[in-house]
Amino acid sequence: QTYSKHGFSFKYPTDWKIRENDGERYESTNSIKIVEASKILCCRISFDNGMDLKILYSSDSSKYPVLQNLLAEKQNSYSPNDFTMERYNVQGFEGVRRKTASGKPANVVYEEEAELYLKKDSGFYTIFWGSMDPSKKGFTSQAYLEKILSTFKFTK
């Protein structure tokens, strides 16, 4: 399937369900609020099956994160025995990726998360990706997110 709206498009698996979030404001669910993005453009995809993808846009380029600070803050917020945290760049997006170590901690929803940013004109796009993969189907960023982002393009 192809998603094409908000000035960009990307391809996604046919069994995914896209749920639009037009007009919803992003509010961080944890105590560390790295970026205050202005609007969720798209979408919750197949969250019930173990994945969540959100694409946000902020017109305030001054809120674009310093990636070194982003990585340091994320590393400080998680136990290194339970997680690995690394810089992550894919298809022009830059950011961080967190993976759980073997034996998922009890309080963790996502086994793998990515937070990626891309500057465009006077603002920037943010992608939040999460995979909880309870059935071990291989919902990793390499198997899904990287394939989706390889098809991401601006249509305007």
Side-chain angles (χ1 to χ4, degrees), residues 10 12-13 16 26 43 45-47 49-56 74 88 90 96-99 110-116 126-133 138-149:
F10 59 86
Y12 62 94
W16 285 22
Y26 174 72
C43 34
I45 299 180
S46 196
F47 179 77
N49 293 327
M51 283 177 287
D52 190 20
L53 172 73
K54 290 183 183 175
I55 301 176
L56 299 83
K74 291 285 189 178
Y88 182 44
V90 56
V96 296
R97 176 172 53 185
R98 178 194 61 75
K99 295 180 183 181
Y110 294 112
E111 294 181 2
E112 183 175 355
E113 293 179 314
E115 189 172 321
L116 298 168
T126 304
I127 290 181
F128 289 105
W129 157 267
S131 170
M132 54 185 157
D133 205 1
F139 294 152
T140 64
S141 58
Q142 189 171 17
Y144 282 86
L145 180 61
E146 291 180 16
K147 287 182 181 177
I148 290 169
L149 291 183

Side-chain angles (χ1 to χ4, degrees), residues 17-49:
K17 297 174 188 168
I18 288 192
R19 300 179 185 131
E20 282 285 346
N21 282 318
D22 287 328
E24 181 182 349
R25 307 259 320 162
Y26 174 72
E27 292 184 19
S28 178
T29 55
N30 61 23
S31 59
I32 299 173
K33 192 162 186 176
I34 309 290
V35 167
E36 189 177 331
S38 59
K39 186 175 182 183
I40 295 176
L41 299 176
C42 163
C43 34
R44 299 194 77 155
I45 299 180
S46 196
F47 179 77
D48 297 335
N49 293 327

Side-chain angles (χ1 to χ4, degrees), residues 81-100:
N81 296 329
D82 296 333
F83 303 97
T84 60
M85 186 67 64
E86 62 188 7
R87 284 185 82 148
Y88 182 44
N89 298 324
V90 56
Q91 300 296 324
F93 288 88
E94 57 181 1
V96 296
R97 176 172 53 185
R98 178 194 61 75
K99 295 180 183 181
T100 60

Side-chain angles (χ1 to χ4, degrees), residues 57-91:
Y57 178 74
S58 177
S59 58
D60 186 352
S61 59
S62 70
K63 293 181 179 173
Y64 194 90
V66 176
L67 291 183
Q68 222 168 326
N69 296 348
L70 177 65
L71 183 60
E73 288 187 39
K74 291 285 189 178
Q75 284 173 327
N76 289 337
S77 67
Y78 295 111
S79 164
N81 296 329
D82 296 333
F83 303 97
T84 60
M85 186 67 64
E86 62 188 7
R87 284 185 82 148
Y88 182 44
N89 298 324
V90 56
Q91 300 296 324

